[in-house]
Amino acid sequence: MKPLQKNFQKAVLLAACLALLPAAALPAYGADSREKISSVKLTVSYDEKPEAGKTVGTVAVRVSDDRLEVIEPAQYYDTDDDVWIRGEVPVIRLELAVKDSSGYRFTSSTKVSSSGGRSEVKSKKLLDGGDALRVELKLPKVTGPLDETEEYYWDGRRARWSEVEGADQYEVKLYRGNSLVTTVTSTGTSYYLYPYMNRAGEYTFRVRALSSVDGAKGSWSDKSEEFYLSSADVYPGSTPVPGGGNPSGGPGNSRPAGWIQDQSRWSYRQTDGSLVHDSWLFVDNNWFYFGNDSIMRTGWIFVDDHWFYLNPVSDGTRGAMKTGWVFADNRWFYLNPVSDGTRGAMKTGWLPTENG
């Protein structure tokens, strides 16, 4: 029994030693003993600063650590244009690698910093088990001159213009003849100028784009087409104080007279605050008709035993009475052009010609 007991004790001792052996003596094959790259400093330079309208050039990024190298040269990424667009954010992509992959490695905690060109680190991604690192940098938004407004026109007593990319404000100058009436600013693409039109005459306007981000100003447009306002149609209220309010949304309760827009529908408020209904109204050099719901009508209407055709197109004179020859519903119609009490009424039968 003693030899058996002695052998059992040896076996227990051997098992205990083997249990301790992996932690104390055996090599740790799963651990990465390479030195970690704790930080990376990058410096950005370019041949020409990105600016709106200029060709997308080349960019270079230098790394200051001798243990590292750039294996994928820096280039502008995620831009499909040949020229820079205002408001675009340039993104630079490059890949770094350790020169001695057996001795060094990147980790998820490797800190990347950037300088030059007001660049900032956008993202980083480990590659090849830490042998390489993909980095994306971003530059400030592209700035530059603003384009000129391409379209500008009167829509009733409201000035309208096309949007300019990169602009967040627009400056508008209103003229009566050659005299400057006022200068206003709008954050949208229209401005209700009627409250400034308190004298009869021919009105025009000019507009230019502005950017509050970098203070850029576009070129002034040419003057718009003339809009004539008779003495009977001038604004009856008090002219707003410049900078005291923005009537770009049109008349409201504080401005009793003028056009009122509700989505795509238009009404007209008179000086006493009431809305025009069931009647014709001559305003903005045109005749308009308002139904019993005070909504401006368009298209064909039958009033006073006559058919009339009111402009259905949003071209600045929507709702205006049509006269003369008109092509509608795939047919030609002749609408009385004479102010004889039935102006605009559809004519039927034989029509006189210039030769009688």
Side-chain angles (χ1 to χ4, degrees), residues 260-267 293 295-296:
I260 302 172
Q261 184 178 16
D262 180 13
Q263 296 181 351
S264 61
R265 300 179 302 179
W266 288 90
S267 300
D293 56 358
I295 301 301
M296 180 190 75

Side-chain angles (χ1 to χ4, degrees), residues 31-107:
D32 194 333
S33 61
R34 295 178 296 172
E35 183 179 343
K36 299 178 182 179
I37 302 295
S38 60
S39 63
V40 176
K41 294 182 179 181
L42 303 174
T43 303
V44 176
S45 61
Y46 38 66
D47 56 347
E48 191 172 21
K49 177 184 176 181
E51 188 172 327
K54 290 186 177 181
T55 303
V56 176
T58 58
V59 63
V61 178
R62 178 172 54 85
V63 59
S64 59
D65 196 325
D66 292 335
R67 298 171 298 175
L68 310 177
E69 61 181 345
V70 178
I71 58 172
E72 187 71 29
Q75 59 182 344
Y76 290 115
Y77 172 73
D78 198 24
T79 178
D80 297 327
D81 302 293
D82 295 330
V83 297
W84 291 113
I85 299 175
R86 185 180 177 83
E88 184 178 5
V89 177
V91 176
I92 304 168
R93 173 180 282 189
L94 70 150
E95 289 185 11
L96 304 172
V98 292
K99 295 178 180 179
D100 179 10
S101 60
S102 63
Y104 301 95
R105 65 187 175 97
F106 295 106
T107 68

Side-chain angles (χ1 to χ4, degrees), residues 295-307:
I295 301 301
M296 180 190 75
R297 296 296 192 256
T298 60
W300 289 106
I301 63 170
F302 188 75
V303 178
D304 301 329
D305 297 323
H306 293 285
W307 283 100

Side-chain angles (χ1 to χ4, degrees), residues 83-161:
V83 297
W84 291 113
I85 299 175
R86 185 180 177 83
E88 184 178 5
V89 177
V91 176
I92 304 168
R93 173 180 282 189
L94 70 150
E95 289 185 11
L96 304 172
V98 292
K99 295 178 180 179
D100 179 10
S101 60
S102 63
Y104 301 95
R105 65 187 175 97
F106 295 106
T107 68
S108 58
S109 60
T110 299
K111 183 179 180 181
V112 181
S113 60
S114 176
S115 62
R118 297 171 59 194
S119 58
E120 298 178 6
V121 177
K122 182 176 183 286
S123 65
K124 62 180 181 179
K125 182 179 180 180
L126 283 176
L127 303 174
D128 302 329
D131 291 346
L133 185 70
R134 177 183 295 159
V135 179
E136 289 187 357
L137 309 173
K138 64 178 182 179
L139 300 179
K141 285 185 178 181
V142 175
T143 60
L146 293 167
D147 293 335
E148 183 177 322
T149 303
E150 295 181 356
E151 297 181 10
Y152 42 94
Y153 56 91
W154 286 104
D155 182 5
R157 295 159 178 176
R158 179 186 296 274
R160 291 190 182 276
W161 54 88

